[in-house]
Amino acid sequence: MLNYIRSLLKFRELLYFFVLREIKAKYKQAVLGVAWAFLQPLVLIGVFTIVFSHIARLPSDGAPYAVFSYCALLPWQFFAGVLNRGTGSLLSHQGLVQKVYFPREILLFSVVASATVDFLIGGIIFWGLLFFYNIPWTIQSVFVLPVFAIQILLVVGIILVLSPMNVFFRDIGLVLPLVIQVWMYATPIIYPLSLVPEKFRPYYSLNPMAGIVEAYRKILLHQSAPDWLSLSLAGLVSLVIFIAGLFYFKRVEFKLADVL
């Protein structure tokens, strides 16, 4: 693994170039430019609050619904965005993959890095919501860092599998939006985990994003340590997926240029 990391570091300038390209491509020829990174979450917060709080009247575990929903929506947008863009990254760079050698996973890592920029921008909005609703930051907030690291492990592991599979089987790109939509409803984003019947909660623990989302809420909204059992399970699942994904990606990497 150390040798692998050293080999990737040799291409760090290429990674930097791809990250800039990802960010510029997302907002290219957009009238509002980067302002969309602020506007989109604000619109979603408003829609979610009106529909699910005032109309559907879903509970929010004692927190203002705008903060409650966005605390889960922000990491979910990061997760879903990386899945969408990462899965199609090899196809969208097929000319480069066919002609030039470089570690192909750099394309995937650049998607994650550019999505992290959007995540940080969304974090500024979330901080503003906490300030508006007088929800304090505490020392427990540092636990967000390992939670985010687990989330990155999970999503990178998934796209390491899906991106080459999308080259071999183009159906992956077609079915992925549906999978992401179903996965979102199977994760406690618009509703609290306490609303899930007790008999179904063990199945929820099999969804690593459920443990990750709940960890964010416990840390940032309730100023408490996360549920270490569910977070450890999410971390273990994410690590296994990452290792398996990396192994699969390196095994089929040499076939990609021929298939593309």
Side-chain angles (χ1 to χ4, degrees):
M1 181 58 72
L2 288 176
N3 290 333
Y4 173 70
I5 293 174
R6 290 192 193 100
S7 67
L8 285 181
L9 288 176
K10 294 178 182 178
F11 293 88
R12 58 185 178 274
E13 291 183 2
L14 182 61
L15 175 62
Y16 176 73
F17 168 78
F18 280 137
V19 172
L20 285 181
R21 184 180 178 183
E22 280 285 333
I23 295 173
K24 291 178 180 179
K26 185 174 182 179
Y27 301 109
K28 185 178 181 181
Q29 295 181 333
V31 175
L32 297 180
V34 182
W36 279 111
F38 291 93
L39 183 60
Q40 185 178 10
L42 290 173
V43 172
L44 286 174
I45 292 170
V47 171
F48 272 49
T49 302
I50 293 172
V51 174
F52 298 113
S53 178
H54 296 292
I55 298 178
R57 297 189 179 277
L58 293 177
S60 56
D61 285 346
Y65 191 83
V67 183
F68 170 84
S69 60
Y70 193 57
C71 188
L73 187 62
L74 180 59
W76 178 261
Q77 283 185 306
F78 171 83
F79 177 76
V82 172
L83 276 189
N84 269 319
R85 290 154 60 193
T87 300
S89 60
L90 293 175
L91 284 178
S92 59
H93 295 86
Q94 58 181 348
L96 194 60
V97 172
Q98 289 173 328
K99 297 175 182 177
V100 182
Y101 171 75
F102 60 93
R104 312 304 190 200
E105 59 269 36
I106 284 183
L107 292 171
L108 280 59
F109 296 158
S110 67
V111 171
V112 177
S114 63
T116 302
V117 174
D118 290 338
F119 183 83
L120 294 176
I121 293 174
I124 296 173
I125 297 174
F126 181 72
W127 179 85
L129 287 173
L130 292 180
F131 179 79
F132 180 80
Y133 288 106
N134 292 318
I135 300 175
W137 285 80
T138 66
I139 191 63
Q140 302 287 352
S141 300
V142 299
F143 288 126
V144 165
L145 297 178
V147 174
F148 186 60
I150 291 173
Q151 186 176 1
I152 288 180
L153 270 182
L154 173 64
V155 73
V156 170
I158 294 175
I159 61 175
L160 281 170
V161 175
L162 292 184
S163 57
M165 286 185 66
N166 192 40
V167 173
F168 303 133
F169 312 101
R170 303 300 168 90
D171 308 79
I172 298 295
L174 298 175
V175 75
L176 184 62
L178 176 61
V179 172
I180 291 176
Q181 192 70 31
V182 173
W183 199 340
M184 176 181 172
Y185 289 117
T187 304
I189 295 174
I190 60 177
Y191 56 88
L193 187 60
S194 58
L195 204 62
V196 178
E198 195 72 33
K199 61 181 180 180
F200 294 129
R201 290 188 190 176
Y203 301 104
Y204 260 70
S205 63
L206 299 176
N207 174 9
M209 278 304 296
I212 290 170
V213 163
E214 279 300 299
Y216 278 115
R217 280 186 175 141
K218 282 184 176 293
I219 295 167
L220 297 173
L221 298 185
H222 304 293
Q223 294 83 44
S224 63
D227 183 345
W228 293 114
L229 180 60
S230 61
L231 187 60
S232 298
L233 182 59
L236 179 61
V237 171
S238 300
L239 182 61
V240 170
I241 291 175
F242 174 77
I243 294 174
L246 186 59
F247 177 80
Y248 172 74
F249 189 92
K250 300 307 290 184
R251 187 170 184 177
V252 302
E253 182 181 17
F254 70 96
K255 301 178 182 178
L256 296 175
D258 294 333
V259 177
L260 285 170

